[in-house]
Amino acid sequence: MLLLKYLLLSAGIAMFVIAAGILTYDAYLLIAWQRRRSNLDPKAGAPGLSPSPGPSPKVRWRKSVALVMLAWAPLLISAGIVIVPSGMAGVRVSQTKGTLAETLYPGVHFVVPLVERVELFNTRDQLFTTGISEDSLAKGAAKGEALNVQAPHAQALHVQAKEGLTLGLAITVRYHIDPKRLDYIEANLPQPVEKEIVPPVVATAWRELVPGYTVREVFSAKREEVRQRSAEMIRKRLAADGIVVKEVMLRDIELPQEYAKGLESLLLKEQENDRMGVETEIHQKQVKIAEADAEATKVQEVKQAEGQAAVRVLQAKGESDAMQYTLPLKQKQIEQSKLEAEARKEATVKNAEAAGEAKLIDSKAEMERRKLLAQAEAERIRLTASADAERMTSESAILKQNPLLINKIVAERLSDKLQIMMVPADGKFFFTNDVLRGMGAPNHVSQAEDVEGSDRRPQQ
């Protein structure tokens, strides 16, 4: 919205500038035409010049006036847009109706141009301070500059006490303007209220209140009471004018120099008197404490004796009562022991029976296991014998078909005892040929089977 306002304002000013530029340009053309006309010879044209300057240029009054009239529209619209910034509040003041009741809070508002205007007020918390403030003193010390004590905020508020002595008060009042009563403030109070209303009201309240107290009461005894009463007076008076007071602080009090010295000596004497009074009270309290300790010791001893006697009586009574229950309790313990012994005996018998049954079951299981193992071993032997018979039958058939396999078998049996075997190509010196030469085929086969059987038996 602020951009729109500035755009409208710029458009209006631009129209005024354009209208002025058009009139200026037309006036320039008219003046140039008149100069050309005055330079011509009235009887005959001068050499190199045209005999006539041409038609007279016209000034565009209508277009300029139209632009000027049109420029007022964006200017009036922009004048009707009012923006209230943050921390502020406004009130409309009409030229015909005076101050209007509605408060304008931060944001965009529309007013009647040329008829209404907006007066802005600061609604933030403000401080009215008398005397040198701590912040100003710290800043001045940091910069190494002397404070300007002639400034209004650096002057203390001087009031008179009940004794007629003048005190300097350093006061800070925190307040803010009530936004709901801006119409009343604008219409009835002098402006600005921060300078015209607040300082006189604060000073008057303190100057009416402090004369009812002595310097000592204001300085120490009733300082908080004086501050609270002054705060209440200031709050009531400024509330009627639409100013809300949040806090009134009494920061410091400047005493007269001579009174300060006397007060210091008096305070020292009072401190000494208070110290002696405190020491006296301490001694009295120590005496009372000693008496109380002695009385407490006496009472404690009496109570201890009474307690010991009562304990003995209770112990004797307890022993007497305990004897009545001891015998039945012992009898019950004996019966419980008998029952436990019988239970252990029964448990032992049952455990023995269970162990016997378990052993019997284990022996039966072991017999069954051995029987199964014997059957399995017999079955294995039977299968092995059957397999060996079938193998021998197949081997005998193979030997009948190939008698030379006997040489191979003998060589395999002797191979672990011979490192090198050299056989002639014709086989004349191989001893098995000489052995088998005079034997028939049936004898040869039976010998081979005997050799094979003898080699197999040790393996089984």
Side-chain angles (χ1 to χ4, degrees), residues 387-398 449 452-453 456:
D388 289 340
E390 291 178 359
R391 184 175 59 81
M392 291 176 67
T393 303
S394 62
E395 287 180 355
S396 62
I398 292 170
E449 290 177 355
E452 183 68 23
R456 190 180 298 114

Side-chain angles (χ1 to χ4, degrees), residues 248-265:
V248 177
M249 294 169 279
L250 179 58
R251 304 194 323 274
D252 193 13
I253 299 175
E254 297 179 3
L255 298 175
Q257 187 175 1
E258 295 180 356
Y259 184 86
K261 293 180 180 179
L263 182 62
E264 184 178 357
S265 61

